[in-house]
Amino acid sequence: MSTETISVLMDIHEKFSSLPATFREKVCEECNWSMPTFYRKMRGRDKPSLTDKSRIIPALSNAEKEKIIDIMKEVYTSAWDYMEKYRKA
């Protein structure tokens, strides 16, 4: 590992580039999903019921939606807190 410091721009870019993978990994872990399940659920859409056309079958449960939003907040807040070190420098 080099003793040189990386630029602020590079550090921020690397942090933002890693966010999608970090988010996906946390969702898979918290929801007990495999990666294929994550992508299948991501592509999923609400569908009308076959028996009752006025009823919609959601692609994600309310609990899944809430958990995913909580994870997004956690990942975003963690990245924001990490970047705050540059304000204090």
Side-chain angles (χ1 to χ4, degrees), residues 54-71:
S54 64
R55 188 170 154 256
I56 300 294
I57 300 170
L60 296 170
S61 71
N62 289 336
E64 289 171 330
K65 290 176 192 176
E66 290 297 320
K67 187 55 145 173
I68 290 166
I69 291 168
D70 288 343
I71 293 168

Side-chain angles (χ1 to χ4, degrees), residues 13-29:
H13 180 270
E14 287 179 357
K15 190 65 170 176
F16 277 119
S17 295
S18 71
L19 286 179
T22 302
F23 173 74
R24 182 186 62 235
E25 289 166 7
K26 283 215 169 264
V27 169
C28 287
E29 180 182 325

Side-chain angles (χ1 to χ4, degrees), residues 41-62:
K41 293 226 179 211
M42 186 174 69
R43 288 190 317 269
R45 298 174 191 234
D46 294 347
K47 299 176 184 173
S49 170
L50 296 175
T51 57
D52 181 2
K53 297 294 183 193
S54 64
R55 188 170 154 256
I56 300 294
I57 300 170
L60 296 170
S61 71
N62 289 336

Side-chain angles (χ1 to χ4, degrees), residues 7-17 82-83 86:
S7 74
V8 172
L9 182 58
M10 175 64 88
D11 195 25
I12 291 171
H13 180 270
E14 287 179 357
K15 190 65 170 176
F16 277 119
S17 295
Y82 178 83
M83 295 303 154
Y86 291 113

Side-chain angles (χ1 to χ4, degrees), residues 25-37:
E25 289 166 7
K26 283 215 169 264
V27 169
C28 287
E29 180 182 325
E30 295 286 327
C31 295
N32 199 25
W33 293 348
S34 65
M35 210 174 298
T37 298

